[in-house]
Structures are given as structure tokens and as C-alpha cells.
Amino acid sequence: MKQLVAFDLDGTLAESKQAIQPDMAAALAELLTVAHVAVISGGDWPQFDKQVASQLPENADRARLWLMPTTGTKLYTFRDGQWGSVYAELFTDEQKKKILTAFDEALEATGFVPEQTWGERIEDRGSQITFSALGQQAPIHAKETWDPDFAKRKVIQADLKKRLPGLSINMGGATSIDITQEGVDKAYGLKRLRDESGIPLDSMMFIGDAIFPGGNDYPAKELGLDTVRVRDPQETLSVIAAIVACQK
């Protein structure tokens, strides 16, 4: 039996930047009756609140839910009737400037400039800088067709790694690249979760849609956790149902 089940967010629990559906909210509430639950992803807290925290039914045991924005460089828990920050690890202004310059240079060098964008393409999330190729407000249909096999982002990722040695550069979501401090990836976040929760890694499992080399969920597998790769939120629902049945 597992004490904690950790999830990626976009592509796993919900469509990109969309709120979890009522059936997913109900499934998570059911899962919380048999295990702790964590969500770790590249979005910042406002996105987590919009997509997950505000969508849960009243009966969900929020005290067993661990929300980890910006690839685990932040942690929020529910105490005394509200969500609060446990920690946050932030970039310096100098680091942010260097990263933004590198993005501009990498995009020019690789030539991946889309014909149309929706909103800002680079977002400062404090402890993480995120590049969204089509913009932060891009519609789902455009995001799903721009780089479904991650091929475009792998080229940009390789260029950025040359320009930003000493930083972690990972692909996430449908069109995103996330940059964090060196050594910061989902394995890092899961180890921080172990320390904060007291739940050992071998009592955790991880579910995500990008559990492959270069994907931002792959570090969970490299860390040695039991992992399940899913295609979409619908498959995640089936996995949750199976876990609940086994844990009861």
C-alpha cells in the first residue's frame, strides 16, 4: 500500500491550464480517504488554486493534500481553514535577467517562432521562469498541435542548456519549458515533500503524462518511485479508481 500518490497537473489531472473536471475532483476526494495526495507541476500558486484547490468538493480532506507549484520550489498546505505557504525558493534579479536574455537568444538561434501567439510567452514565477511557446493564453487546440511529440522543445531545450549551465531546464505542459535552480526538478520536489511530510519515498507513487527521458515527469522515475504514465486525464481517472480499490 502507498501512503501518498503524487500527480503532475496539466495533461494528467486536467487539460492544459484548465480546472479539473467534477469527476476528477470527486476522484481526488475519494483518493484522499485512503492516501495523502500531492500535485507537483510548473504553474504558480494562482494557477494551482484555480485548477485544483478551488474545485474540490466540501468533503475532500484538504489536510492530506500537498500542493507544490513551480516544480516543487514552493509548497502549500491547508491548515486552520486556509491554504498557506510552507516555503518558497526564489531566483535573484540577476539570475532572472540572464534567463530572459538566454530565451531570446535561443529562440532566435533555433528559429521556432510561431505565426500567432496569445498573451505573454515568458512568465516570471519567482522560483521558476516558464516559456510558453504560443503564449500564456493560447487555446488548447493550438497548444495540442504545436509540439505533440516534444521535438521542437527538445531543440530549444538543448540550446538553452548551452547558454544556461548550472540551471535545470525541463519540458512541461503542452508547449512549455521550465527553468529552475540547478538540481531542481520533480525529483527535488518529491524529496522536499518527503522531508516535509515524513512519508518515505518508497511509500509514494507518481502519475504523469511526461514520464520519458527529457520529460519533466521523468525525474520521478529516476528517483526510484513507482510511476504510471498516462495519456490524458481520462486515463488518470481509471488509474485513481484502481488505486482506491486496492487501498481499501
Side-chain angles (χ1 to χ4, degrees):
M1 292 182 65
K2 296 296 183 181
Q3 295 182 52
L4 184 146
V5 183
F7 296 88
D8 169 52
L9 180 48
D10 287 349
T12 300
L13 292 177
E15 299 296 338
S16 181
K17 293 197 174 181
Q18 303 302 302
I20 58 174
Q21 294 296 304
D23 54 356
M24 183 64 75
L28 291 176
E30 181 72 10
L31 183 58
L32 284 164
T33 67
V34 298
H36 287 253
V37 171
V39 182
I40 179 170
S41 189
D44 206 351
W45 169 250
Q47 197 67 33
F48 267 68
D49 188 24
K50 171 188 172 184
Q51 290 186 256
V52 181
S54 64
Q55 304 300 321
L56 296 170
E58 286 300 318
N59 67 327
D61 187 356
R62 291 165 175 80
R64 304 181 86 186
L65 182 59
W66 307 78
L67 298 181
M68 307 189 75
T70 54
T71 318
T73 54
K74 298 179 182 180
L75 171 64
Y76 284 76
T77 57
F78 193 79
R79 298 290 182 270
D80 301 321
Q82 62 183 358
W83 291 99
S85 172
V86 177
Y87 66 78
E89 303 165 351
L90 307 179
F91 277 124
T92 66
D93 289 341
E94 184 178 345
Q95 287 174 314
K96 291 178 183 179
K97 183 178 180 181
K98 184 178 180 180
I99 291 168
L100 295 176
T101 299
F103 265 127
D104 289 339
E105 294 173 348
L107 293 174
E108 183 177 353
T110 57
F112 287 115
V113 179
E115 294 181 0
Q116 184 176 3
T117 59
W118 293 262
E120 295 295 326
R121 300 177 73 195
I122 296 178
E123 182 181 359
D124 177 359
R125 297 175 178 173
S127 56
Q128 175 177 295
I129 307 296
T130 294
F131 164 73
S132 298
L134 303 183
Q136 297 291 331
Q137 308 304 321
I140 292 176
H141 69 84
K143 296 170 76 170
E144 289 178 341
T145 57
W146 185 75
D147 190 29
D149 58 358
F150 293 80
K152 294 176 181 176
R153 278 176 291 167
K154 285 180 180 178
V155 175
I156 300 170
Q157 179 190 44
D159 187 274
L160 285 169
K161 284 183 175 180
K162 297 175 184 177
R163 299 178 191 277
L164 296 170
L167 294 178
S168 289
I169 302 166
N170 292 290
M171 294 177 286
T175 64
S176 300
I177 295 177
D178 301 322
I179 296 185
T180 56
Q181 299 281 11
E182 183 174 19
V184 172
D185 54 22
K186 288 187 179 176
Y188 171 90
L190 290 165
K191 286 187 284 188
R192 285 297 306 262
L193 178 60
R194 171 200 61 196
D195 298 340
E196 296 292 340
S197 68
I199 298 172
L201 293 174
D202 59 9
S203 293
M204 300 181 185
M205 69 180 297
F206 182 86
I207 299 168
D209 68 322
I211 305 175
F212 53 80
N216 70 345
D217 295 332
Y218 194 67
K221 186 177 184 68
E222 294 180 305
L223 187 59
L225 267 64
D226 291 333
T227 61
V228 179
R229 182 179 176 184
V230 294
R231 292 185 299 271
D232 51 36
Q234 200 61 38
E235 187 171 10
T236 301
L237 284 172
S238 298
V239 173
I240 292 173
I243 295 171
V244 171
C246 290
Q247 298 268 95
K248 282 189 171 181

